Amino acid sequence: ALRGVVAMDGPSGTGKTTVARTLASRLGAGYLDTGAMYRLVTLAVLRAGIDPTDAAAVAGHAGTVELDVGTDPARPAALLAGAELAAEIRTEEVNRAVSPVSAVPEVRELLVARQREIIERVLAATGGIVVEGRDIGTVVAPDAGLKIYLTASAEVRAERRGAQDAAAGRASAPDDTRASVERRDRLDSTRAASPLRPAEDAVPVDTSELNIDQVIIALSELACRRG
Ligand code: C5P
């Protein structure tokens, strides 16, 4: 079983979620999807009728959001005030609004504190956790025993996002998907507060030419060697 934290960062469409969940299951570890937390705050902001680009209004509302996420890799729950919203947080409307909301320093401060609490709790209970996001290796868990930075070409990432949408029954045009993925990564990488970037000690893994099984095998070996 995994001991400690595996930090899994990278842009969208790299297979991060599938890889992180599968790895956590294989290693008998917990799983934390920090992106789901930023998506829940974004959905709450939209439902409150707040403009997601109004940083002051978003900062003011963030503290009132009652969000919760599960840490079982087999059932990654995402809740607002007790209501399960795992599908609702993955719409194109949330995709468009999540980067400006995540760029608000007060939102990050709140969520990073929650993430550290969850990590501590899961480590105490099971001894290991795989945490995925954009700033896990750099900010949330800088002492993680293993840091992975997943990448993939823009074509492959757009293709994977399109396949995910299709599998979930969401209609999407390939050009729009690619533009949406690239726009979000540009915003996430250029924001002032904890931009998306690899930690200095992260192991880069390019998944463009690899299938999920190949990525999992490579990462399980790394985790066992470090763990
Ligand atoms: O991983 P996912 O695509 O669900 O993340 C959604 C968005 O949440 C990202 O595009 C980014 O704006 C934000 N995010 C973040 N920091 C994290 C995880 C996600 O800013 N650790």
Side-chain angles (χ1 to χ4, degrees):
L2 173 73
R3 309 299 306 173
V5 178
V6 175
M8 185 96 64
D9 290 300
S12 44
T14 52
K16 216 169 4 121
T17 298
T18 311
V19 168
R21 283 180 58 184
T22 311
L23 191 65
S25 293
R26 292 261 181 105
L27 300 175
Y31 162 70
L32 177 60
D33 177 2
T34 62
M37 298 172 77
Y38 288 95
R39 289 173 178 276
L40 284 168
V41 172
T42 303
L43 184 61
V45 161
L46 293 171
R47 286 187 168 179
I50 293 165
D51 173 0
T53 65
D54 181 343
V58 168
H61 191 67
T64 71
V65 177
E66 267 179 73
L67 68 83
D68 213 350
V69 289
T71 55
D72 176 354
R75 293 181 303 111
L79 307 106
L80 276 184
E84 175 60 58
L85 295 167
E88 287 82 351
I89 59 173
R90 307 202 186 274
T91 61
E92 189 48 33
E93 196 192 6
V94 172
N95 284 345
R96 263 198 308 274
V98 70
S99 292
V101 170
S102 312
V104 176
E106 289 87 348
V107 171
R108 305 204 68 82
E109 228 167 88
L110 261 169
L111 292 189
V112 168
R114 275 295 290 285
Q115 289 156 13
R116 288 181 177 150
E117 279 169 26
I118 296 170
I119 292 168
E120 284 312 313
R121 179 163 49 75
V122 172
L123 284 180
T126 67
I129 185 167
V130 179
V131 186
E132 70 153 297
R134 301 291 187 289
D135 62 342
I136 310 308
T138 52
V139 175
V140 176
D143 298 331
L146 176 61
K147 300 180 185 179
I148 309 290
Y149 194 82
L150 291 184
T151 60
S153 69
E155 285 82 3
V156 168
R157 293 194 288 119
E159 229 173 76
R160 286 180 185 159
R161 184 44 59 101
Q164 265 171 24
D165 286 342
R170 291 184 297 261
S172 62
D175 286 352
D176 296 348
T177 304
R178 177 160 178 170
S180 159
V181 164
E182 288 183 350
R183 172 178 166 278
R184 194 142 60 86
D185 292 340
R186 193 173 57 247
L187 291 172
D188 292 344
S189 310
T190 55
R191 70 184 175 214
S194 321
L196 167 66
R197 64 175 174 81
E200 259 167 41
D201 50 349
V203 182
V205 178
D206 184 341
T207 67
S208 305
E209 311 283 325
L210 301 176
N211 63 36
I212 290 292
D213 288 338
Q214 292 169 315
V215 177
I216 295 293
I217 289 168
L219 296 190
S220 304
E221 280 171 10
L222 276 174
C224 291
R225 245 184 285 149
R226 302 275 177 108

PDB file of all heavy atoms in Angstrom, residues 6 15 19 37-38 43 59 68 74 93 99 107 111 141 155 160 163 175-176 190-191 195 202-203 213:
ATOM      1  N   VAL A   6       0.979  11.249  -3.083  1.00  0.00           N
ATOM      2  CA  VAL A   6       1.391  11.372  -4.479  1.00  0.00           C
ATOM      3  C   VAL A   6       0.696  12.612  -5.031  1.00  0.00           C
ATOM      4  O   VAL A   6      -0.534  12.707  -5.003  1.00  0.00           O
ATOM      5  CB  VAL A   6       0.998  10.144  -5.323  1.00  0.00           C
ATOM      6  CG1 VAL A   6       1.331  10.384  -6.801  1.00  0.00           C
ATOM      7  CG2 VAL A   6       1.719   8.888  -4.828  1.00  0.00           C
ATOM      8  N   GLY A  15      -5.352  12.972 -18.949  1.00  0.00           N
ATOM      9  CA  GLY A  15      -5.708  11.683 -18.358  1.00  0.00           C
ATOM     10  C   GLY A  15      -5.522  11.682 -16.851  1.00  0.00           C
ATOM     11  O   GLY A  15      -5.621  10.641 -16.196  1.00  0.00           O
ATOM     12  N   VAL A  19      -6.027   8.494 -14.330  1.00  0.00           N
ATOM     13  CA  VAL A  19      -4.767   7.957 -13.821  1.00  0.00           C
ATOM     14  C   VAL A  19      -4.730   8.054 -12.291  1.00  0.00           C
ATOM     15  O   VAL A  19      -4.403   7.074 -11.611  1.00  0.00           O
ATOM     16  CB  VAL A  19      -3.568   8.715 -14.447  1.00  0.00           C
ATOM     17  CG1 VAL A  19      -2.279   8.381 -13.728  1.00  0.00           C
ATOM     18  CG2 VAL A  19      -3.466   8.399 -15.933  1.00  0.00           C
ATOM     19  N   MET A  37     -13.291  20.703  -6.279  1.00  0.00           N
ATOM     20  CA  MET A  37     -13.570  21.734  -5.266  1.00  0.00           C
ATOM     21  C   MET A  37     -13.671  23.116  -5.917  1.00  0.00           C
ATOM     22  O   MET A  37     -14.565  23.899  -5.601  1.00  0.00           O
ATOM     23  CB  MET A  37     -12.482  21.698  -4.179  1.00  0.00           C
ATOM     24  CG  MET A  37     -12.443  20.356  -3.444  1.00  0.00           C
ATOM     25  SD  MET A  37     -11.037  20.169  -2.321  1.00  0.00           S
ATOM     26  CE  MET A  37     -11.570  21.157  -0.928  1.00  0.00           C
ATOM     27  N   TYR A  38     -12.747  23.430  -6.856  1.00  0.00           N
ATOM     28  CA  TYR A  38     -12.832  24.713  -7.576  1.00  0.00           C
ATOM     29  C   TYR A  38     -14.099  24.755  -8.433  1.00  0.00           C
ATOM     30  O   TYR A  38     -14.738  25.797  -8.566  1.00  0.00           O
ATOM     31  CB  TYR A  38     -11.572  24.941  -8.420  1.00  0.00           C
ATOM     32  CG  TYR A  38     -10.370  25.260  -7.558  1.00  0.00           C
ATOM     33  CD1 TYR A  38      -9.492  24.249  -7.162  1.00  0.00           C
ATOM     34  CD2 TYR A  38     -10.155  26.548  -7.093  1.00  0.00           C
ATOM     35  CE1 TYR A  38      -8.416  24.522  -6.330  1.00  0.00           C
ATOM     36  CE2 TYR A  38      -9.078  26.836  -6.259  1.00  0.00           C
ATOM     37  CZ  TYR A  38      -8.212  25.818  -5.883  1.00  0.00           C
ATOM     38  OH  TYR A  38      -7.156  26.100  -5.043  1.00  0.00           O
ATOM     39  N   LEU A  43     -19.709  26.606  -9.464  1.00  0.00           N
ATOM     40  CA  LEU A  43     -21.139  26.340  -9.645  1.00  0.00           C
ATOM     41  C   LEU A  43     -21.958  27.159  -8.633  1.00  0.00           C
ATOM     42  O   LEU A  43     -22.993  27.738  -8.977  1.00  0.00           O
ATOM     43  CB  LEU A  43     -21.420  24.841  -9.484  1.00  0.00           C
ATOM     44  CG  LEU A  43     -22.864  24.404  -9.736  1.00  0.00           C
ATOM     45  CD1 LEU A  43     -23.286  24.722 -11.171  1.00  0.00           C
ATOM     46  CD2 LEU A  43     -23.028  22.903  -9.467  1.00  0.00           C
ATOM     47  N   ALA A  59     -14.848  36.484  -4.119  1.00  0.00           N
ATOM     48  CA  ALA A  59     -14.138  36.337  -2.839  1.00  0.00           C
ATOM     49  C   ALA A  59     -15.135  36.409  -1.691  1.00  0.00           C
ATOM     50  O   ALA A  59     -15.061  35.627  -0.738  1.00  0.00           O
ATOM     51  CB  ALA A  59     -13.069  37.418  -2.695  1.00  0.00           C
ATOM     52  N   ASP A  68     -18.338  19.783  -0.183  1.00  0.00           N
ATOM     53  CA  ASP A  68     -17.758  18.572   0.362  1.00  0.00           C
ATOM     54  C   ASP A  68     -17.340  17.668  -0.792  1.00  0.00           C
ATOM     55  O   ASP A  68     -18.034  17.618  -1.808  1.00  0.00           O
ATOM     56  CB  ASP A  68     -18.792  17.858   1.237  1.00  0.00           C
ATOM     57  CG  ASP A  68     -18.121  17.149   2.406  1.00  0.00           C
ATOM     58  OD1 ASP A  68     -16.884  17.070   2.406  1.00  0.00           O
ATOM     59  OD2 ASP A  68     -18.845  16.661   3.288  1.00  0.00           O
ATOM     60  N   ALA A  74     -13.205   4.991  -5.805  1.00  0.00           N
ATOM     61  CA  ALA A  74     -14.256   4.289  -6.545  1.00  0.00           C
ATOM     62  C   ALA A  74     -15.512   5.140  -6.698  1.00  0.00           C
ATOM     63  O   ALA A  74     -16.305   4.922  -7.611  1.00  0.00           O
ATOM     64  CB  ALA A  74     -14.602   2.981  -5.831  1.00  0.00           C
ATOM     65  N   GLU A  93     -20.525  25.480 -19.159  1.00  0.00           N
ATOM     66  CA  GLU A  93     -20.700  26.738 -18.429  1.00  0.00           C
ATOM     67  C   GLU A  93     -19.697  26.825 -17.264  1.00  0.00           C
ATOM     68  O   GLU A  93     -19.062  27.864 -17.046  1.00  0.00           O
ATOM     69  CB  GLU A  93     -22.141  26.822 -17.902  1.00  0.00           C
ATOM     70  CG  GLU A  93     -22.542  28.210 -17.473  1.00  0.00           C
ATOM     71  CD  GLU A  93     -23.861  28.224 -16.684  1.00  0.00           C
ATOM     72  OE1 GLU A  93     -24.401  27.142 -16.385  1.00  0.00           O
ATOM     73  OE2 GLU A  93     -24.316  29.337 -16.372  1.00  0.00           O
ATOM     74  N   SER A  99     -11.776  29.049 -14.425  1.00  0.00           N
ATOM     75  CA  SER A  99     -10.430  29.652 -14.344  1.00  0.00           C
ATOM     76  C   SER A  99     -10.442  31.014 -13.656  1.00  0.00           C
ATOM     77  O   SER A  99      -9.620  31.249 -12.763  1.00  0.00           O
ATOM     78  CB  SER A  99      -9.776  29.726 -15.723  1.00  0.00           C
ATOM     79  OG  SER A  99      -9.483  28.416 -16.175  1.00  0.00           O
ATOM     80  N   VAL A 107     -10.207  32.542  -2.747  1.00  0.00           N
ATOM     81  CA  VAL A 107     -10.760  31.212  -3.055  1.00  0.00           C
ATOM     82  C   VAL A 107      -9.670  30.166  -2.848  1.00  0.00           C
ATOM     83  O   VAL A 107      -9.895  29.122  -2.217  1.00  0.00           O
ATOM     84  CB  VAL A 107     -11.292  31.166  -4.508  1.00  0.00           C
ATOM     85  CG1 VAL A 107     -11.665  29.743  -4.916  1.00  0.00           C
ATOM     86  CG2 VAL A 107     -12.476  32.115  -4.683  1.00  0.00           C
ATOM     87  N   LEU A 111      -9.611  27.016  -0.152  1.00  0.00           N
ATOM     88  CA  LEU A 111      -9.605  25.629  -0.633  1.00  0.00           C
ATOM     89  C   LEU A 111      -8.306  24.912  -0.285  1.00  0.00           C
ATOM     90  O   LEU A 111      -8.332  23.728   0.063  1.00  0.00           O
ATOM     91  CB  LEU A 111      -9.890  25.582  -2.133  1.00  0.00           C
ATOM     92  CG  LEU A 111     -11.318  26.000  -2.524  1.00  0.00           C
ATOM     93  CD1 LEU A 111     -11.579  25.714  -3.997  1.00  0.00           C
ATOM     94  CD2 LEU A 111     -12.371  25.306  -1.663  1.00  0.00           C
ATOM     95  N   ALA A 141       0.930  20.456  -1.238  1.00  0.00           N
ATOM     96  CA  ALA A 141       1.710  19.411  -0.566  1.00  0.00           C
ATOM     97  C   ALA A 141       3.155  19.426  -1.079  1.00  0.00           C
ATOM     98  O   ALA A 141       3.601  18.486  -1.731  1.00  0.00           O
ATOM     99  CB  ALA A 141       1.066  18.041  -0.806  1.00  0.00           C
ATOM    100  N   GLU A 155      -3.401  18.419 -29.312  1.00  0.00           N
ATOM    101  CA  GLU A 155      -4.329  17.595 -30.109  1.00  0.00           C
ATOM    102  C   GLU A 155      -4.888  16.473 -29.246  1.00  0.00           C
ATOM    103  O   GLU A 155      -6.097  16.254 -29.175  1.00  0.00           O
ATOM    104  CB  GLU A 155      -3.617  16.927 -31.298  1.00  0.00           C
ATOM    105  CG  GLU A 155      -3.281  17.820 -32.462  1.00  0.00           C
ATOM    106  CD  GLU A 155      -2.000  18.595 -32.235  1.00  0.00           C
ATOM    107  OE1 GLU A 155      -1.338  18.393 -31.183  1.00  0.00           O
ATOM    108  OE2 GLU A 155      -1.670  19.429 -33.099  1.00  0.00           O
ATOM    109  N   ARG A 160      -9.141  13.806 -26.041  1.00  0.00           N
ATOM    110  CA  ARG A 160      -9.565  13.099 -24.824  1.00  0.00           C
ATOM    111  C   ARG A 160     -10.726  13.815 -24.163  1.00  0.00           C
ATOM    112  O   ARG A 160     -11.659  13.176 -23.659  1.00  0.00           O
ATOM    113  CB  ARG A 160      -8.390  12.997 -23.839  1.00  0.00           C
ATOM    114  CG  ARG A 160      -7.369  11.975 -24.280  1.00  0.00           C
ATOM    115  CD  ARG A 160      -6.215  11.885 -23.306  1.00  0.00           C
ATOM    116  NE  ARG A 160      -5.197  10.970 -23.814  1.00  0.00           N
ATOM    117  CZ  ARG A 160      -3.930  10.988 -23.420  1.00  0.00           C
ATOM    118  NH1 ARG A 160      -3.526  11.865 -22.534  1.00  0.00           N
ATOM    119  NH2 ARG A 160      -3.081  10.120 -23.918  1.00  0.00           N
ATOM    120  N   ALA A 163     -13.816  12.976 -26.090  1.00  0.00           N
ATOM    121  CA  ALA A 163     -14.262  11.605 -25.817  1.00  0.00           C
ATOM    122  C   ALA A 163     -14.964  11.540 -24.467  1.00  0.00           C
ATOM    123  O   ALA A 163     -15.972  10.844 -24.305  1.00  0.00           O
ATOM    124  CB  ALA A 163     -13.067  10.655 -25.847  1.00  0.00           C
ATOM    125  N   ASP A 175     -13.550  21.572 -32.598  1.00  0.00           N
ATOM    126  CA  ASP A 175     -12.826  22.846 -32.583  1.00  0.00           C
ATOM    127  C   ASP A 175     -13.083  23.613 -31.290  1.00  0.00           C
ATOM    128  O   ASP A 175     -12.183  24.210 -30.709  1.00  0.00           O
ATOM    129  CB  ASP A 175     -13.232  23.718 -33.773  1.00  0.00           C
ATOM    130  CG  ASP A 175     -12.618  23.188 -35.069  1.00  0.00           C
ATOM    131  OD1 ASP A 175     -11.783  22.258 -34.976  1.00  0.00           O
ATOM    132  OD2 ASP A 175     -12.977  23.690 -36.138  1.00  0.00           O
ATOM    133  N   ASP A 176     -14.353  23.573 -30.831  1.00  0.00           N
ATOM    134  CA  ASP A 176     -14.714  24.270 -29.594  1.00  0.00           C
ATOM    135  C   ASP A 176     -14.006  23.631 -28.415  1.00  0.00           C
ATOM    136  O   ASP A 176     -13.532  24.314 -27.510  1.00  0.00           O
ATOM    137  CB  ASP A 176     -16.236  24.189 -29.344  1.00  0.00           C
ATOM    138  CG  ASP A 176     -17.021  24.912 -30.430  1.00  0.00           C
ATOM    139  OD1 ASP A 176     -16.380  25.649 -31.204  1.00  0.00           O
ATOM    140  OD2 ASP A 176     -18.248  24.725 -30.498  1.00  0.00           O
ATOM    141  N   THR A 190      -1.075  31.361 -16.502  1.00  0.00           N
ATOM    142  CA  THR A 190      -0.606  32.750 -16.474  1.00  0.00           C
ATOM    143  C   THR A 190      -1.159  33.552 -15.298  1.00  0.00           C
ATOM    144  O   THR A 190      -0.813  34.716 -15.146  1.00  0.00           O
ATOM    145  CB  THR A 190      -0.976  33.487 -17.786  1.00  0.00           C
ATOM    146  OG1 THR A 190      -2.391  33.370 -17.986  1.00  0.00           O
ATOM    147  CG2 THR A 190      -0.266  32.871 -18.982  1.00  0.00           C
ATOM    148  N   ARG A 191      -2.028  32.939 -14.466  1.00  0.00           N
ATOM    149  CA  ARG A 191      -2.573  33.703 -13.336  1.00  0.00           C
ATOM    150  C   ARG A 191      -1.464  33.993 -12.316  1.00  0.00           C
ATOM    151  O   ARG A 191      -0.458  33.283 -12.251  1.00  0.00           O
ATOM    152  CB  ARG A 191      -3.726  32.938 -12.691  1.00  0.00           C
ATOM    153  CG  ARG A 191      -3.266  31.712 -11.950  1.00  0.00           C
ATOM    154  CD  ARG A 191      -4.419  30.891 -11.391  1.00  0.00           C
ATOM    155  NE  ARG A 191      -3.912  29.680 -10.796  1.00  0.00           N
ATOM    156  CZ  ARG A 191      -4.552  28.514 -10.802  1.00  0.00           C
ATOM    157  NH1 ARG A 191      -5.717  28.395 -11.389  1.00  0.00           N
ATOM    158  NH2 ARG A 191      -4.003  27.469 -10.224  1.00  0.00           N
ATOM    159  N   PRO A 195       0.128  29.730 -10.193  1.00  0.00           N
ATOM    160  CA  PRO A 195      -0.117  29.287 -11.575  1.00  0.00           C
ATOM    161  C   PRO A 195       0.250  27.814 -11.767  1.00  0.00           C
ATOM    162  O   PRO A 195       1.044  27.271 -10.999  1.00  0.00           O
ATOM    163  CB  PRO A 195       0.811  30.178 -12.401  1.00  0.00           C
ATOM    164  CG  PRO A 195       1.885  30.603 -11.459  1.00  0.00           C
ATOM    165  CD  PRO A 195       1.230  30.701 -10.110  1.00  0.00           C
ATOM    166  N   ALA A 202       9.337  17.515  -9.663  1.00  0.00           N
ATOM    167  CA  ALA A 202       8.285  16.663 -10.238  1.00  0.00           C
ATOM    168  C   ALA A 202       8.863  15.792 -11.358  1.00  0.00           C
ATOM    169  O   ALA A 202       9.786  16.211 -12.061  1.00  0.00           O
ATOM    170  CB  ALA A 202       7.150  17.521 -10.780  1.00  0.00           C
ATOM    171  N   VAL A 203       8.329  14.582 -11.494  1.00  0.00           N
ATOM    172  CA  VAL A 203       8.710  13.697 -12.588  1.00  0.00           C
ATOM    173  C   VAL A 203       7.766  13.983 -13.754  1.00  0.00           C
ATOM    174  O   VAL A 203       6.558  13.787 -13.628  1.00  0.00           O
ATOM    175  CB  VAL A 203       8.569  12.212 -12.192  1.00  0.00           C
ATOM    176  CG1 VAL A 203       9.015  11.296 -13.337  1.00  0.00           C
ATOM    177  CG2 VAL A 203       9.335  11.919 -10.910  1.00  0.00           C
ATOM    178  N   ASP A 213      -3.249   2.183 -19.266  1.00  0.00           N
ATOM    179  CA  ASP A 213      -2.551   1.083 -18.596  1.00  0.00           C
ATOM    180  C   ASP A 213      -1.049   1.318 -18.540  1.00  0.00           C
ATOM    181  O   ASP A 213      -0.396   1.048 -17.528  1.00  0.00           O
ATOM    182  CB  ASP A 213      -2.823  -0.246 -19.319  1.00  0.00           C
ATOM    183  CG  ASP A 213      -4.252  -0.715 -19.092  1.00  0.00           C
ATOM    184  OD1 ASP A 213      -4.855  -0.274 -18.092  1.00  0.00           O
ATOM    185  OD2 ASP A 213      -4.758  -1.490 -19.922  1.00  0.00           O
TER     186      ASP A 213
END
